[in-house]
Amino acid sequence: MKRFESVFKKIEHRKTMVLAMLNITNLHASVDDKEILKGLTLSVKPGEVAAIMGPNGAGKSTLSYVAAGRAGYDVTAGDVTLNGESLIDLAANERAAKGLFLAFQYPLEIPGVTTMTFLKAAMNSQRKQRGEAELSTPDFMKRVRAAADKLGIPQDMLRRPLNVGFSGGEKKRMEVLQMALLEPRFAILDETDSGLDIDALRIVADGVNALRSPDRSFLVITHYQRLLDYIKPDSVHVLAGGRIVKSGGPELAHELEKNGYRDYVADAA
Amino acid sequence: MTAIVKPLRTPAETGILEAFAASAALNDPARSVREAAIARIADIGLPGRRNEPWHYTDLRTLLKTVPPVAELESATALPGAFVIDGASQIVFSGARMSQSGALPAGVTLASLPYDAQVSPAIPAGEALVALNAAFALASAALVIAPGTHAGALHIAFRDAHEAAASLARRVRIEVQAGASVTIIESHESRNGLGHLTNTLIEFELGDGAKVHHVRVNSCGDEANSLSTLAARVGDNANFATLSMTTGARVSRHQIFIRYAGEHAHVALRGVSLLRGKQHADTTLVIDHATPNCESREAFKTIVDGDATGVFQGRIVVAPHAQKTDARMSSKALLLSEGATMNNKPELEIFADDVQCAHGATCGELDDNLLFYIMARGLPKREAEALLLEAFVGDVIDEVEDETLREVLMDKARDWLAERT
C-alpha cells in the first residue's frame, strides 16, 4: 500500500502541474552574478488570483522581470511554464504573444508614439505572432473606445504620446487598458498600488476585477495589504530571501499587516 | 633660404585636375571663370582635417578617385524615380536640364549666365563652391515674381548613368517680395557607382517671401555627394528647409544662411539615416547679421553599422543684431558598436540682448523602453523601429505640407523596414 501511496502522490503532483496555469519550479536567477531568486516555487491555477507579499529586497520585482523575460536576468536553474509550456528561452514579446502580461510598477513614457499607435502595434503584433489576422481599423477603434470608457479614460488621452505627462493614476489606468485589450491568460501586477491615491486605486482595482475570469489568472505583487482589500486574492504567498517562505489564504495578508515581515526576514537570513 | 612646403597631392586631387583637363565640354564661354576656380583648387587642394570646417570630413582621404565629367544626359531612365504628385518638374540628368509640364504663372526658368558671382551668404573662396564653378555644366535660374504663390516645384537630380561620373550643377532661385514657393530637391543615382556630385543651390528671398524647401538625398550607395545650400533672407521673410539623407557613401551638405533684413524666420532641419560604411556630414553657418530675427535648427541622426555622422552648427550673432532668438539642437542615436557621431555646435555672440541656445546629444536606445514595448508583444526590431520612427518623426512633423510629411515618413519607414 505504501508503495502505491508514493505513486498516487506523484500522479497528484502531475495533475496540479497540468492544471496550473503558471508553474514556477525551483527558480534561481541572478543579476550581475548576484543571486536574487534562490529556488522559488509557486503554482497558480486557472482563475486564481495569487498575491505575493514581501519585504523590500525580497526579489518581488526580479520575479516579475524574470517571468516577463527582461534581458540582464540570468536564470541559472529552474523553470517557468505557462499552460505547461516553458517560457525561459522565449523573448519578452514571445511570452506576451503566449498570453503573459506584466503591468509595470513604473509604466514608461514613450515620446512621439501616440497611445493609439502603441495599442494597435501591440495588439496586431501579438495577433501576427499567433497566426491571427490583424484587426481592421474600425474594429480596433471600437474595442479601444469600449475599454477606455469602462476605465474612464477620455478619448483625447489616447491621442497623446503614451504616458507622457500622465499622472501616476493615469499611467496605471493605461496599464489596465492595455491588459483589457491584450486579453492575457496570465497577468502579473507589479506593485500596481504604488503611487496611487485611494480613488485611483479603486478605479484600477475595479478594472482588474472586471477582467477576472475562470480561464485567466493573476499574480498580484504588493508590499502592502491595502491593495488586497480591493483585489481579493485566493491565495497569499510570502516572498523573502528569494524564496516563497509561507503560503496561505487571504488571512495571511492581514497577519502580515499586523506583524510585519520581521519573522520571515530573520528566517530567510 | 625659404621653403614652401606643400602637402603632396592625393589621388583625388590629382584626379580633379586630370578630369578638368580631359573634358572638352568645360571649354565653353565660362572658361575663364572655370580656370580661375581650378587654379584655386590646385593651390589650396581639397579640404581636409587641418581645415577647421572640414575636420571630421577629410575629403583628401575620403575621396579615392575622380571619375570623368559627364558631358551628356543619361541614356536610360532611373527605375522607381522619386516623384511628387502635383509638382512641376525640373529634371537634371548629367549635363542637361529639362522641364516637364507647364510652370506656374509668375515663374520663369532660364540658364544661369556665366558669371562667378555667388550668393553673399557663402564665405569667399569656399572649396566646394570653387569646385562647382570649375565643373558645373548644367544650371538653372528660377525667378518667382513678386506676390506669386507658385505651389510646389520639384528639382530632380536624376542620374541614371551606368558608369561613374563627375556631375556638377547649380540652381539659383530668386523668390521676390511677397512670393511663396515649395521646392523639393531630390538626388538619385544607381548603386555601385562612385559618382562625384557637386550641387550648389542659392536662394534669394525678398521681403516677405516664403520658401519651403525639402531635400532628399537618395544617391547610390557608392556615390560621393557634395552639396551647398545658401540663402539670403530679406525683411519678414520665412525660409524653412529639411534635408533627409539616406543615400551616398560620402556626403556633405553645407548650409549658409545670411539675414539681410529684420523679423525674418529661418528653420533648418535634418534627418540622416546611416548604415554600412556611410559618412554623412551636415555643416551649417547662420549669420545673424541683422537684429530681430529668429532661427531654429533641429537635426536628428541615426547611425547604424560602421557609419559616421557629423553635425557642425555655428550661429554667429553680429554686434548690432540685438533681439536675435536662435535655438539649435542636434541629437543622435547610435545603434551599433561601430557607429560614430561627431557633434559640434558653436555659438559666436557679439550682441548682448539675445537668446541663443544649443544642445547636442548622442546616445543609444533606452533598454527600459525597449523591454516595456517588447513586453507588450513587439519583437525587438519592431520595438526599435517604433522608437526610431518617433525619434525622427518629431523633426519631420514640423514640415508644413502634409503630402511631403507623409513622403518623408514613408522614406524613414522604408529605411527602418530594411533593418528588421
Side-chain angles (χ1 to χ4, degrees):
Chain A
M1 217 32 217
K2 274 233 151 132
R3 265 173 56 206
F4 287 116
E5 232 169 46
S6 80
V7 172
F8 283 144
K9 260 192 175 161
K10 265 188 188 155
I11 292 170
E12 202 55 36
H13 181 65
R14 292 186 77 106
K15 251 167 109 182
T16 50
M17 294 257 300
V18 172
L19 276 176
M21 180 163 266
L22 188 85
N23 220 39
I24 304 174
T25 39
N26 187 34
L27 187 64
H28 289 257
S30 324
V31 182
D32 295 331
D33 290 333
K34 188 172 184 284
E35 187 164 66
I36 310 283
L37 300 183
K38 302 168 181 173
L40 190 148
T41 297
L42 178 72
S43 281
V44 185
K45 292 193 283 291
E48 181 179 347
V49 174
I52 287 202
M53 301 183 70
N56 287 325
K60 297 194 301 292
S61 282
T62 300
L63 171 62
S64 68
Y65 288 149
V66 169
R70 183 177 191 140
Y73 291 80
D74 292 327
V75 175
T76 50
D79 202 357
V80 179
T81 61
L82 183 63
N83 292 328
E85 226 179 317
S86 175
L87 298 179
I88 290 301
D89 293 327
L90 300 182
N93 59 293
E94 295 168 322
R95 300 181 195 205
K98 297 243 180 253
L100 185 74
F101 181 89
L102 170 62
F104 280 58
Q105 182 178 3
Y106 303 108
L108 284 98
E109 302 186 356
I110 311 187
V113 180
T114 66
T115 305
M116 252 346 171
T117 305
F118 182 73
L119 292 173
K120 197 170 180 189
M123 288 170 79
N124 279 336
S125 198
Q126 290 203 14
R127 295 177 75 92
K128 210 165 108 188
Q129 288 170 75
R130 289 194 292 258
E132 298 163 15
E134 292 196 358
L135 288 172
S136 70
T137 302
D139 193 9
F140 164 75
M141 295 297 288
K142 215 165 69 194
R143 290 182 192 216
V144 174
R145 280 215 191 95
D149 280 352
K150 273 192 199 156
L151 288 161
I153 295 171
Q155 293 297 311
D156 73 294
M157 242 169 95
L158 301 173
R159 286 189 288 271
R160 282 159 57 192
L162 183 68
N163 291 332
V164 178
F166 292 9
S167 71
E170 287 171 332
K171 286 179 182 173
K172 293 292 166 78
R173 240 185 286 177
M174 274 299 167
E175 293 292 285
V176 179
L177 174 68
Q178 291 173 39
M179 182 161 71
L181 291 168
L182 293 169
E183 301 176 326
R185 295 199 279 179
F186 195 95
I188 302 172
L189 311 183
D190 187 6
E191 310 242 358
T192 287
D193 48 339
S194 71
L196 292 190
D197 62 34
I198 211 75
D199 294 326
L201 183 60
R202 186 169 290 136
I203 294 170
V204 168
D206 286 349
V208 172
N209 287 329
L211 296 172
R212 289 177 78 154
S213 84
D215 53 3
R216 178 175 294 137
S217 321
F218 292 85
L219 188 61
V220 181
I221 297 175
T222 183
H223 192 71
Y224 301 106
Q225 191 266 335
R226 186 180 71 159
L227 176 66
L228 304 181
D229 287 341
Y230 296 91
I231 303 173
K232 299 252 190 281
D234 300 306
S235 60
V236 174
H237 310 267
V238 181
L239 174 59
R243 272 193 304 259
I244 300 295
V245 293
K246 185 163 187 182
S247 298
E251 72 289 344
L252 182 53
H254 291 280
E255 187 193 310
L256 286 168
E257 193 73 2
K258 219 185 313 165
N259 301 332
Y261 294 111
R262 264 194 324 270
D263 302 346
Y264 303 107
V265 174
D267 272 7
Chain B
M1 195 180 89
T2 52
I4 297 168
V5 180
K6 280 204 170 187
L8 286 173
R9 286 207 171 112
T10 61
E13 285 169 335
T14 309
I16 280 172
L17 302 179
E18 285 172 2
F20 184 80
S23 172
L26 295 177
N27 205 350
D28 61 4
R31 187 70 188 178
S32 62
V33 173
R34 297 188 191 284
E35 278 176 350
I38 202 76
R40 176 158 173 81
I41 296 296
D43 188 37
I44 61 172
L46 282 170
R49 66 191 162 79
R50 292 179 190 204
N51 188 339
E52 183 68 21
W54 291 85
H55 183 74
Y56 300 105
T57 300
D58 187 350
L59 282 191
R60 297 186 79 233
T61 54
L62 283 169
L63 283 184
K64 306 290 185 220
T65 54
V66 176
V69 173
E71 298 181 347
L72 301 167
E73 66 182 303
S74 44
T76 54
L78 212 51
F82 183 75
V83 174
I84 299 284
D85 288 339
S88 312
Q89 277 192 60
I90 297 162
V91 180
F92 285 87
S93 167
R96 191 177 137 86
M97 184 259 291
S98 60
Q99 180 215 323
S100 73
L103 286 171
V107 178
T108 54
L109 174 67
S111 281
L112 266 174
Y114 293 109
D115 65 22
Q117 201 72 37
V118 293
S119 166
I122 297 170
E126 208 288 321
L128 292 194
V129 174
L131 269 177
N132 188 278
F135 285 95
L137 277 172
S139 69
L142 263 175
V143 179
I144 322 287
T148 304
H149 299 294
L153 294 173
H154 181 185
I155 304 175
F157 296 89
R158 237 171 246 158
D159 295 305
H161 298 71
E162 281 162 354
S166 285
L167 302 143
R169 275 79 61 112
R170 181 176 174 191
V171 180
R172 185 184 286 170
I173 303 162
E174 193 182 329
V175 186
Q176 296 180 337
S180 69
V181 66
T182 297
I183 301 280
I184 300 115
E185 174 194 342
S186 62
H187 296 265
E188 294 165 286
S189 55
R190 293 182 193 276
N191 283 336
L193 298 175
H195 291 312
L196 173 59
T197 66
N198 183 319
T199 315
L200 171 60
I201 310 281
E202 298 154 281
F203 280 99
E204 180 79 33
L205 275 74
D207 295 347
K210 191 173 175 187
V211 171
H212 270 96
H213 172 246
V214 167
R215 176 179 182 271
V216 174
N217 182 346
S218 318
C219 287
D221 58 4
E222 288 298 323
N224 301 288
S225 161
L226 307 174
S227 158
T228 305
L229 172 70
R232 196 164 79 122
V233 184
D235 265 334
N236 290 301
N238 189 315
F239 180 74
T241 175
L242 184 148
S243 178
M244 180 182 260
T245 300
T246 54
R249 168 82 158 77
V250 173
S251 67
R252 160 97 164 188
H253 180 51
Q254 49 185 18
I255 306 173
F256 299 105
I257 302 293
R258 168 169 296 183
Y259 292 86
E262 297 191 27
H263 305 288
H265 183 91
V266 169
L268 311 179
R269 301 184 182 101
V271 171
S272 296
L273 308 174
L274 312 174
R275 59 164 59 113
K277 293 189 182 303
Q278 281 181 293
H279 176 109
D281 174 325
T282 300
T283 293
L284 52 96
V285 181
I286 300 163
D287 186 357
H288 278 276
T290 55
N292 297 312
C293 289
E294 258 184 14
S295 73
R296 294 287 179 272
E297 296 80 38
F299 288 79
K300 296 272 179 102
T301 307
I302 298 176
V303 194
D304 203 354
D306 295 315
T308 301
V310 178
F311 173 83
Q312 307 184 98
R314 184 147 62 96
I315 299 176
V316 184
V317 183
H320 58 279
Q322 303 295 1
K323 307 281 181 200
T324 290
D325 179 351
R327 278 169 226 178
M328 173 163 65
S329 94
S330 168
K331 294 180 180 166
L333 278 179
L334 306 182
L335 303 184
S336 63
E337 289 281 312
T340 305
M341 180 71 198
N342 299 297
N343 247 334
K344 193 175 84 176
E346 292 174 278
L347 297 177
E348 275 178 38
I349 305 171
F350 300 102
D352 51 17
D353 184 13
V354 300
Q355 288 192 51
C356 287
H358 70 70
T361 61
C362 217
E364 295 172 8
L365 281 174
D366 184 338
D367 280 340
N368 295 322
L369 272 180
L370 280 176
F371 171 61
Y372 183 64
I373 299 171
M374 286 176 71
R376 293 296 174 261
L378 277 78
K380 185 156 190 259
R381 285 288 166 134
E382 284 177 34
E384 289 177 348
L386 193 72
L387 291 176
L388 295 172
E389 191 179 314
F391 177 71
V392 297
D394 80 328
V395 170
I396 295 172
D397 272 349
E398 297 291 323
V399 172
E400 214 171 78
D401 184 289
E402 197 187 331
T403 310
L404 287 176
R405 247 189 346 250
E406 274 311 306
V407 165
L408 293 170
M409 271 326 288
D410 283 347
K411 276 194 82 69
R413 286 188 197 111
D414 287 349
W415 188 88
L416 291 170
E418 282 166 29
R419 279 192 87 230
T420 48

